[in-house]
Amino acid sequence: MRASCGRSVPAPGPRPLPSQRGGCLSPRTAWSGDLGGSYSARDPEGRGIRRPRACGQDGGRGAMRSPKLPGLVLSLLLLLLPPPGPVGGAARFDPTWESLDARQLPAWFDQAKFGIFIHWGVFSVPSFGSEWFWWYWQKEKLPSYVDFMKNNYPPDFTYADFGPLFTAKFFDANQWADILQASGAKYVVLTSKHHEGFTLWGSERSWNWNAVDEGPKRDIVKELAVAVRTRTDLRFGLYYSLFEWFHPLFLEDESSSFQKQQYPLSKMLPELYELVNQYQPEVLWSDGDGGAPDTYWNSTVFLAWLYNESPVRDTVVTNDRWGAGSICKHGGYYTCSDRYNPGHLLPHKWENCMTIDQFSWGYRRNGGISDYLTIEELVKQLVETVSCGGNLLMNIGPTKDGTISAIFEERLRQMGTWLKVNGEAIYDTHAWRSQNDTVTPDVWYTSKPKNKLVYAMFLKWPTSGQLFLGQPKATLGATEVELLGHGQPLQWTPLEQNGIMVELPQLTVHQMPCIILRRRP
């Protein structure tokens, strides 16, 4: 099972994402009918869990109504694995990749599993094609973008003229926070500044091109940070683009083959220090190296300060986009590319940042209903990602007025409904010895070694009412299987060689929950 991956730099044309959805099996989770479920198991044989096998190896849209989205969970007895160690508190980090890469990722990030990405900025005003609107219109001069401007705006209209139109008139940080809480996400990442250079806070280094001086005349970053921290249990994070497409100092540095460092010293670094000290984000999502190496950006010096001295030094997590050549190699967790979903277990913590709108990170007025991933497809992304050790960062793009469009809100609330049943198989789980099942397709596993549980998340409800699982090793009399949300033990029988067959109850679509395997005392 391998999902397609996106590119780091978005293309102007369509880039569809894979689709489907499912559920999971776990010790107190339930199968989700047509949506799938999760399973957890205890292995009475006391077999140790070695290095989990890669996925695929042997052994190994509608209205605003959100229907109940159940899931499946089975629980087998597994050998208890040692829990991850604590984050080093007193350790000091040198400004070298060797030292910085040795920092242990704060435990909360791996436990969270699911976050929401928010792309919002002046690009939300034209809201056409992509958040790369300015670049495609002015730099690449793509015909569709040039024609859009010719047909809708005066000849002398510039990108800066979009600034006052970015009003955020209906932006309500409390409402956003409530929607984010309802999604089941455990962290949120807001674009504090994209490649266009417009900052969503009153940056002293971005005079007259920020949300306090122009457009909303409000500190968007502060308002959302306060709302998230007072109304939700989410961690607050910020995205920051290192470079800016048309900043004169960056262009001058670029023309010197980055021998000059005017832009990072006078613009980028002061803004990063300001963001961290003023808003204390617990996720710092760097992006946009502009082809410049990390030495140009002084990335290691900044990260050493972030880990040693900053107000978030003990809890902050960072990604891997700190200069040309650092992606998927240096930093905190790896992103590797946009929409990265390797389909197998990686030795390093990673994140799949992807979009509900398959063709844009920012809001598009020209988006059609088929451009948006269904809840089934989104759950599939979540299940596959978490089973292979990753986190899912799911993106939405608000409008220029500051509203979260109905289709984005619906998807967020649908995901939250699914997680209310299946969340046990997602949050605070670990990769199992097998990431997916080789007997029944679209079944993915997670585990909780400390509790000796394994979850099997299945994406399709079997029409026969019997679920065949090739990976669990269960013992009659010692292993109990339940459907989460159903509450009653399920009948199961061992298969001739390996695995089990679970008899699923006859339920209506509105009753579908998740399955659990539990060892009797």
mmCIF file with all atom_site columns, all heavy atoms in Angstrom, residues 42-61:
data_model
loop_
_atom_site.group_PDB
_atom_site.id
_atom_site.type_symbol
_atom_site.label_atom_id
_atom_site.label_alt_id
_atom_site.label_comp_id
_atom_site.label_asym_id
_atom_site.label_entity_id
_atom_site.label_seq_id
_atom_site.pdbx_PDB_ins_code
_atom_site.Cartn_x
_atom_site.Cartn_y
_atom_site.Cartn_z
_atom_site.occupancy
_atom_site.B_iso_or_equiv
_atom_site.pdbx_formal_charge
_atom_site.auth_seq_id
_atom_site.auth_comp_id
_atom_site.auth_asym_id
_atom_site.auth_atom_id
_atom_site.pdbx_PDB_model_num
ATOM 1   N N   . ARG A 1 42 ? -3.674  -8.331  22.535 1.00 0.00 ? 42 ARG A N   1
ATOM 2   C CA  . ARG A 1 42 ? -2.676  -8.759  23.503 1.00 0.00 ? 42 ARG A CA  1
ATOM 3   C C   . ARG A 1 42 ? -2.198  -10.141 23.083 1.00 0.00 ? 42 ARG A C   1
ATOM 4   O O   . ARG A 1 42 ? -3.001  -11.014 22.820 1.00 0.00 ? 42 ARG A O   1
ATOM 5   C CB  . ARG A 1 42 ? -3.264  -8.808  24.907 1.00 0.00 ? 42 ARG A CB  1
ATOM 6   C CG  . ARG A 1 42 ? -3.770  -7.461  25.384 1.00 0.00 ? 42 ARG A CG  1
ATOM 7   C CD  . ARG A 1 42 ? -4.374  -7.600  26.746 1.00 0.00 ? 42 ARG A CD  1
ATOM 8   N NE  . ARG A 1 42 ? -4.692  -6.297  27.290 1.00 0.00 ? 42 ARG A NE  1
ATOM 9   C CZ  . ARG A 1 42 ? -5.313  -6.115  28.453 1.00 0.00 ? 42 ARG A CZ  1
ATOM 10  N NH1 . ARG A 1 42 ? -5.689  -7.142  29.159 1.00 0.00 ? 42 ARG A NH1 1
ATOM 11  N NH2 . ARG A 1 42 ? -5.551  -4.910  28.896 1.00 0.00 ? 42 ARG A NH2 1
ATOM 12  N N   . ASP A 1 43 ? -0.934  -10.369 23.075 1.00 0.00 ? 43 ASP A N   1
ATOM 13  C CA  . ASP A 1 43 ? -0.373  -11.624 22.607 1.00 0.00 ? 43 ASP A CA  1
ATOM 14  C C   . ASP A 1 43 ? 0.015   -12.501 23.794 1.00 0.00 ? 43 ASP A C   1
ATOM 15  O O   . ASP A 1 43 ? 1.049   -12.279 24.420 1.00 0.00 ? 43 ASP A O   1
ATOM 16  C CB  . ASP A 1 43 ? 0.859   -11.321 21.741 1.00 0.00 ? 43 ASP A CB  1
ATOM 17  C CG  . ASP A 1 43 ? 1.441   -12.589 21.154 1.00 0.00 ? 43 ASP A CG  1
ATOM 18  O OD1 . ASP A 1 43 ? 0.892   -13.662 21.422 1.00 0.00 ? 43 ASP A OD1 1
ATOM 19  O OD2 . ASP A 1 43 ? 2.461   -12.475 20.434 1.00 0.00 ? 43 ASP A OD2 1
ATOM 20  N N   . PRO A 1 44 ? -0.818  -13.496 24.131 1.00 0.00 ? 44 PRO A N   1
ATOM 21  C CA  . PRO A 1 44 ? -0.547  -14.331 25.298 1.00 0.00 ? 44 PRO A CA  1
ATOM 22  C C   . PRO A 1 44 ? 0.714   -15.163 25.126 1.00 0.00 ? 44 PRO A C   1
ATOM 23  O O   . PRO A 1 44 ? 1.212   -15.744 26.066 1.00 0.00 ? 44 PRO A O   1
ATOM 24  C CB  . PRO A 1 44 ? -1.799  -15.202 25.422 1.00 0.00 ? 44 PRO A CB  1
ATOM 25  C CG  . PRO A 1 44 ? -2.392  -15.205 24.062 1.00 0.00 ? 44 PRO A CG  1
ATOM 26  C CD  . PRO A 1 44 ? -2.045  -13.879 23.451 1.00 0.00 ? 44 PRO A CD  1
ATOM 27  N N   . GLU A 1 45 ? 1.218   -15.288 23.902 1.00 0.00 ? 45 GLU A N   1
ATOM 28  C CA  . GLU A 1 45 ? 2.429   -16.065 23.698 1.00 0.00 ? 45 GLU A CA  1
ATOM 29  C C   . GLU A 1 45 ? 3.655   -15.307 24.186 1.00 0.00 ? 45 GLU A C   1
ATOM 30  O O   . GLU A 1 45 ? 4.749   -15.844 24.245 1.00 0.00 ? 45 GLU A O   1
ATOM 31  C CB  . GLU A 1 45 ? 2.591   -16.382 22.210 1.00 0.00 ? 45 GLU A CB  1
ATOM 32  C CG  . GLU A 1 45 ? 1.393   -17.136 21.635 1.00 0.00 ? 45 GLU A CG  1
ATOM 33  C CD  . GLU A 1 45 ? 1.525   -17.299 20.131 1.00 0.00 ? 45 GLU A CD  1
ATOM 34  O OE1 . GLU A 1 45 ? 2.669   -17.256 19.631 1.00 0.00 ? 45 GLU A OE1 1
ATOM 35  O OE2 . GLU A 1 45 ? 0.501   -17.461 19.473 1.00 0.00 ? 45 GLU A OE2 1
ATOM 36  N N   . GLY A 1 46 ? 3.480   -13.999 24.501 1.00 0.00 ? 46 GLY A N   1
ATOM 37  C CA  . GLY A 1 46 ? 4.595   -13.206 24.992 1.00 0.00 ? 46 GLY A CA  1
ATOM 38  C C   . GLY A 1 46 ? 5.671   -12.973 23.958 1.00 0.00 ? 46 GLY A C   1
ATOM 39  O O   . GLY A 1 46 ? 6.841   -12.830 24.282 1.00 0.00 ? 46 GLY A O   1
ATOM 40  N N   . ARG A 1 47 ? 5.291   -12.972 22.705 1.00 0.00 ? 47 ARG A N   1
ATOM 41  C CA  . ARG A 1 47 ? 6.277   -12.753 21.652 1.00 0.00 ? 47 ARG A CA  1
ATOM 42  C C   . ARG A 1 47 ? 6.716   -11.303 21.634 1.00 0.00 ? 47 ARG A C   1
ATOM 43  O O   . ARG A 1 47 ? 5.901   -10.413 21.702 1.00 0.00 ? 47 ARG A O   1
ATOM 44  C CB  . ARG A 1 47 ? 5.690   -13.125 20.279 1.00 0.00 ? 47 ARG A CB  1
ATOM 45  C CG  . ARG A 1 47 ? 5.318   -14.613 20.188 1.00 0.00 ? 47 ARG A CG  1
ATOM 46  C CD  . ARG A 1 47 ? 4.620   -14.902 18.881 1.00 0.00 ? 47 ARG A CD  1
ATOM 47  N NE  . ARG A 1 47 ? 4.151   -16.276 18.863 1.00 0.00 ? 47 ARG A NE  1
ATOM 48  C CZ  . ARG A 1 47 ? 4.761   -17.243 18.190 1.00 0.00 ? 47 ARG A CZ  1
ATOM 49  N NH1 . ARG A 1 47 ? 5.831   -16.987 17.496 1.00 0.00 ? 47 ARG A NH1 1
ATOM 50  N NH2 . ARG A 1 47 ? 4.293   -18.470 18.224 1.00 0.00 ? 47 ARG A NH2 1
ATOM 51  N N   . GLY A 1 48 ? 7.995   -11.083 21.501 1.00 0.00 ? 48 GLY A N   1
ATOM 52  C CA  . GLY A 1 48 ? 8.517   -9.715  21.458 1.00 0.00 ? 48 GLY A CA  1
ATOM 53  C C   . GLY A 1 48 ? 8.205   -9.058  20.136 1.00 0.00 ? 48 GLY A C   1
ATOM 54  O O   . GLY A 1 48 ? 8.110   -9.730  19.113 1.00 0.00 ? 48 GLY A O   1
ATOM 55  N N   . ILE A 1 49 ? 8.060   -7.744  20.189 1.00 0.00 ? 49 ILE A N   1
ATOM 56  C CA  . ILE A 1 49 ? 7.844   -6.985  18.959 1.00 0.00 ? 49 ILE A CA  1
ATOM 57  C C   . ILE A 1 49 ? 9.188   -6.482  18.474 1.00 0.00 ? 49 ILE A C   1
ATOM 58  O O   . ILE A 1 49 ? 9.790   -5.632  19.097 1.00 0.00 ? 49 ILE A O   1
ATOM 59  C CB  . ILE A 1 49 ? 6.909   -5.813  19.196 1.00 0.00 ? 49 ILE A CB  1
ATOM 60  C CG1 . ILE A 1 49 ? 5.602   -6.320  19.778 1.00 0.00 ? 49 ILE A CG1 1
ATOM 61  C CG2 . ILE A 1 49 ? 6.650   -5.063  17.903 1.00 0.00 ? 49 ILE A CG2 1
ATOM 62  C CD1 . ILE A 1 49 ? 4.648   -5.231  20.074 1.00 0.00 ? 49 ILE A CD1 1
ATOM 63  N N   . ARG A 1 50 ? 9.644   -7.026  17.385 1.00 0.00 ? 50 ARG A N   1
ATOM 64  C CA  . ARG A 1 50 ? 10.913  -6.569  16.830 1.00 0.00 ? 50 ARG A CA  1
ATOM 65  C C   . ARG A 1 50 ? 10.644  -5.379  15.930 1.00 0.00 ? 50 ARG A C   1
ATOM 66  O O   . ARG A 1 50 ? 9.597   -4.782  15.958 1.00 0.00 ? 50 ARG A O   1
ATOM 67  C CB  . ARG A 1 50 ? 11.572  -7.712  16.032 1.00 0.00 ? 50 ARG A CB  1
ATOM 68  C CG  . ARG A 1 50 ? 11.779  -8.956  16.891 1.00 0.00 ? 50 ARG A CG  1
ATOM 69  C CD  . ARG A 1 50 ? 12.670  -8.671  18.078 1.00 0.00 ? 50 ARG A CD  1
ATOM 70  N NE  . ARG A 1 50 ? 12.871  -9.865  18.893 1.00 0.00 ? 50 ARG A NE  1
ATOM 71  C CZ  . ARG A 1 50 ? 13.390  -9.851  20.091 1.00 0.00 ? 50 ARG A CZ  1
ATOM 72  N NH1 . ARG A 1 50 ? 13.740  -8.711  20.638 1.00 0.00 ? 50 ARG A NH1 1
ATOM 73  N NH2 . ARG A 1 50 ? 13.554  -10.956 20.755 1.00 0.00 ? 50 ARG A NH2 1
ATOM 74  N N   . ARG A 1 51 ? 11.586  -5.094  15.081 1.00 0.00 ? 51 ARG A N   1
ATOM 75  C CA  . ARG A 1 51 ? 11.437  -3.958  14.175 1.00 0.00 ? 51 ARG A CA  1
ATOM 76  C C   . ARG A 1 51 ? 10.202  -4.171  13.316 1.00 0.00 ? 51 ARG A C   1
ATOM 77  O O   . ARG A 1 51 ? 10.101  -5.170  12.615 1.00 0.00 ? 51 ARG A O   1
ATOM 78  C CB  . ARG A 1 51 ? 12.676  -3.843  13.286 1.00 0.00 ? 51 ARG A CB  1
ATOM 79  C CG  . ARG A 1 51 ? 12.652  -2.637  12.374 1.00 0.00 ? 51 ARG A CG  1
ATOM 80  C CD  . ARG A 1 51 ? 13.892  -2.666  11.498 1.00 0.00 ? 51 ARG A CD  1
ATOM 81  N NE  . ARG A 1 51 ? 13.984  -1.470  10.706 1.00 0.00 ? 51 ARG A NE  1
ATOM 82  C CZ  . ARG A 1 51 ? 14.511  -0.353  11.146 1.00 0.00 ? 51 ARG A CZ  1
ATOM 83  N NH1 . ARG A 1 51 ? 14.971  -0.278  12.358 1.00 0.00 ? 51 ARG A NH1 1
ATOM 84  N NH2 . ARG A 1 51 ? 14.584  0.716   10.365 1.00 0.00 ? 51 ARG A NH2 1
ATOM 85  N N   . PRO A 1 52 ? 9.224   -3.255  13.348 1.00 0.00 ? 52 PRO A N   1
ATOM 86  C CA  . PRO A 1 52 ? 8.000   -3.431  12.572 1.00 0.00 ? 52 PRO A CA  1
ATOM 87  C C   . PRO A 1 52 ? 8.316   -3.581  11.105 1.00 0.00 ? 52 PRO A C   1
ATOM 88  O O   . PRO A 1 52 ? 9.216   -2.933  10.568 1.00 0.00 ? 52 PRO A O   1
ATOM 89  C CB  . PRO A 1 52 ? 7.221   -2.139  12.847 1.00 0.00 ? 52 PRO A CB  1
ATOM 90  C CG  . PRO A 1 52 ? 7.783   -1.642  14.126 1.00 0.00 ? 52 PRO A CG  1
ATOM 91  C CD  . PRO A 1 52 ? 9.215   -2.054  14.125 1.00 0.00 ? 52 PRO A CD  1
ATOM 92  N N   . ARG A 1 53 ? 7.546   -4.458  10.439 1.00 0.00 ? 53 ARG A N   1
ATOM 93  C CA  . ARG A 1 53 ? 7.759   -4.665  9.016  1.00 0.00 ? 53 ARG A CA  1
ATOM 94  C C   . ARG A 1 53 ? 7.203   -3.517  8.203  1.00 0.00 ? 53 ARG A C   1
ATOM 95  O O   . ARG A 1 53 ? 6.229   -2.904  8.579  1.00 0.00 ? 53 ARG A O   1
ATOM 96  C CB  . ARG A 1 53 ? 7.075   -5.960  8.568  1.00 0.00 ? 53 ARG A CB  1
ATOM 97  C CG  . ARG A 1 53 ? 7.614   -7.188  9.302  1.00 0.00 ? 53 ARG A CG  1
ATOM 98  C CD  . ARG A 1 53 ? 6.913   -8.430  8.826  1.00 0.00 ? 53 ARG A CD  1
ATOM 99  N NE  . ARG A 1 53 ? 7.351   -9.598  9.572  1.00 0.00 ? 53 ARG A NE  1
ATOM 100 C CZ  . ARG A 1 53 ? 6.856   -10.811 9.377  1.00 0.00 ? 53 ARG A CZ  1
ATOM 101 N NH1 . ARG A 1 53 ? 5.935   -11.004 8.473  1.00 0.00 ? 53 ARG A NH1 1
ATOM 102 N NH2 . ARG A 1 53 ? 7.287   -11.825 10.076 1.00 0.00 ? 53 ARG A NH2 1
ATOM 103 N N   . ALA A 1 54 ? 7.811   -3.315  7.089  1.00 0.00 ? 54 ALA A N   1
ATOM 104 C CA  . ALA A 1 54 ? 7.325   -2.255  6.215  1.00 0.00 ? 54 ALA A CA  1
ATOM 105 C C   . ALA A 1 54 ? 5.991   -2.649  5.630  1.00 0.00 ? 54 ALA A C   1
ATOM 106 O O   . ALA A 1 54 ? 5.718   -3.815  5.406  1.00 0.00 ? 54 ALA A O   1
ATOM 107 C CB  . ALA A 1 54 ? 8.323   -1.999  5.088  1.00 0.00 ? 54 ALA A CB  1
ATOM 108 N N   . CYS A 1 55 ? 5.150   -1.658  5.382  1.00 0.00 ? 55 CYS A N   1
ATOM 109 C CA  . CYS A 1 55 ? 3.848   -1.927  4.807  1.00 0.00 ? 55 CYS A CA  1
ATOM 110 C C   . CYS A 1 55 ? 4.026   -2.641  3.487  1.00 0.00 ? 55 CYS A C   1
ATOM 111 O O   . CYS A 1 55 ? 4.827   -2.250  2.658  1.00 0.00 ? 55 CYS A O   1
ATOM 112 C CB  . CYS A 1 55 ? 3.096   -0.618  4.585  1.00 0.00 ? 55 CYS A CB  1
ATOM 113 S SG  . CYS A 1 55 ? 2.901   0.286   6.101  1.00 0.00 ? 55 CYS A SG  1
ATOM 114 N N   . GLY A 1 56 ? 3.241   -3.680  3.279  1.00 0.00 ? 56 GLY A N   1
ATOM 115 C CA  . GLY A 1 56 ? 3.277   -4.377  2.014  1.00 0.00 ? 56 GLY A CA  1
ATOM 116 C C   . GLY A 1 56 ? 4.178   -5.594  2.049  1.00 0.00 ? 56 GLY A C   1
ATOM 117 O O   . GLY A 1 56 ? 4.139   -6.412  1.145  1.00 0.00 ? 56 GLY A O   1
ATOM 118 N N   . GLN A 1 57 ? 5.017   -5.783  3.099  1.00 0.00 ? 57 GLN A N   1
ATOM 119 C CA  . GLN A 1 57 ? 5.838   -6.961  3.192  1.00 0.00 ? 57 GLN A CA  1
ATOM 120 C C   . GLN A 1 57 ? 5.007   -8.111  3.710  1.00 0.00 ? 57 GLN A C   1
ATOM 121 O O   . GLN A 1 57 ? 3.982   -7.925  4.342  1.00 0.00 ? 57 GLN A O   1
ATOM 122 C CB  . GLN A 1 57 ? 7.011   -6.724  4.158  1.00 0.00 ? 57 GLN A CB  1
ATOM 123 C CG  . GLN A 1 57 ? 8.025   -5.722  3.640  1.00 0.00 ? 57 GLN A CG  1
ATOM 124 C CD  . GLN A 1 57 ? 9.155   -5.560  4.617  1.00 0.00 ? 57 GLN A CD  1
ATOM 125 O OE1 . GLN A 1 57 ? 9.073   -6.026  5.741  1.00 0.00 ? 57 GLN A OE1 1
ATOM 126 N NE2 . GLN A 1 57 ? 10.203  -4.888  4.188  1.00 0.00 ? 57 GLN A NE2 1
ATOM 127 N N   . ASP A 1 58 ? 5.471   -9.321  3.470  1.00 0.00 ? 58 ASP A N   1
ATOM 128 C CA  . ASP A 1 58 ? 4.766   -10.475 3.985  1.00 0.00 ? 58 ASP A CA  1
ATOM 129 C C   . ASP A 1 58 ? 4.733   -10.415 5.496  1.00 0.00 ? 58 ASP A C   1
ATOM 130 O O   . ASP A 1 58 ? 5.696   -10.053 6.138  1.00 0.00 ? 58 ASP A O   1
ATOM 131 C CB  . ASP A 1 58 ? 5.486   -11.761 3.548  1.00 0.00 ? 58 ASP A CB  1
ATOM 132 C CG  . ASP A 1 58 ? 5.147   -12.103 2.106  1.00 0.00 ? 58 ASP A CG  1
ATOM 133 O OD1 . ASP A 1 58 ? 4.195   -11.500 1.597  1.00 0.00 ? 58 ASP A OD1 1
ATOM 134 O OD2 . ASP A 1 58 ? 5.841   -12.966 1.540  1.00 0.00 ? 58 ASP A OD2 1
ATOM 135 N N   . GLY A 1 59 ? 3.656   -10.871 6.061  1.00 0.00 ? 59 GLY A N   1
ATOM 136 C CA  . GLY A 1 59 ? 3.494   -10.833 7.499  1.00 0.00 ? 59 GLY A CA  1
ATOM 137 C C   . GLY A 1 59 ? 3.198   -9.446  7.991  1.00 0.00 ? 59 GLY A C   1
ATOM 138 O O   . GLY A 1 59 ? 3.090   -9.236  9.168  1.00 0.00 ? 59 GLY A O   1
ATOM 139 N N   . GLY A 1 60 ? 3.668   -9.030  7.443  1.00 0.00 ? 60 GLY A N   1
ATOM 140 C CA  . GLY A 1 60 ? 3.525   -7.696  7.982  1.00 0.00 ? 60 GLY A CA  1
ATOM 141 C C   . GLY A 1 60 ? 2.051   -7.053  8.013  1.00 0.00 ? 60 GLY A C   1
ATOM 142 O O   . GLY A 1 60 ? 1.156   -7.670  7.743  1.00 0.00 ? 60 GLY A O   1
ATOM 143 N N   . ARG A 1 61 ? -19.154 13.489  0.074  1.00 0.00 ? 61 ARG A N   1
ATOM 144 C CA  . ARG A 1 61 ? -19.078 14.939  0.345  1.00 0.00 ? 61 ARG A CA  1
ATOM 145 C C   . ARG A 1 61 ? -20.412 15.462  0.643  1.00 0.00 ? 61 ARG A C   1
ATOM 146 O O   . ARG A 1 61 ? -21.282 15.242  0.229  1.00 0.00 ? 61 ARG A O   1
ATOM 147 C CB  . ARG A 1 61 ? -18.735 15.638  -0.927 1.00 0.00 ? 61 ARG A CB  1
ATOM 148 C CG  . ARG A 1 61 ? -17.270 15.586  -0.992 1.00 0.00 ? 61 ARG A CG  1
ATOM 149 C CD  . ARG A 1 61 ? -16.863 16.093  -2.126 1.00 0.00 ? 61 ARG A CD  1
ATOM 150 N NE  . ARG A 1 61 ? -15.744 15.782  -2.394 1.00 0.00 ? 61 ARG A NE  1
ATOM 151 C CZ  . ARG A 1 61 ? -15.018 15.381  -3.295 1.00 0.00 ? 61 ARG A CZ  1
ATOM 152 N NH1 . ARG A 1 61 ? -15.359 15.318  -4.106 1.00 0.00 ? 61 ARG A NH1 1
ATOM 153 N NH2 . ARG A 1 61 ? -13.945 15.092  -3.436 1.00 0.00 ? 61 ARG A NH2 1
#
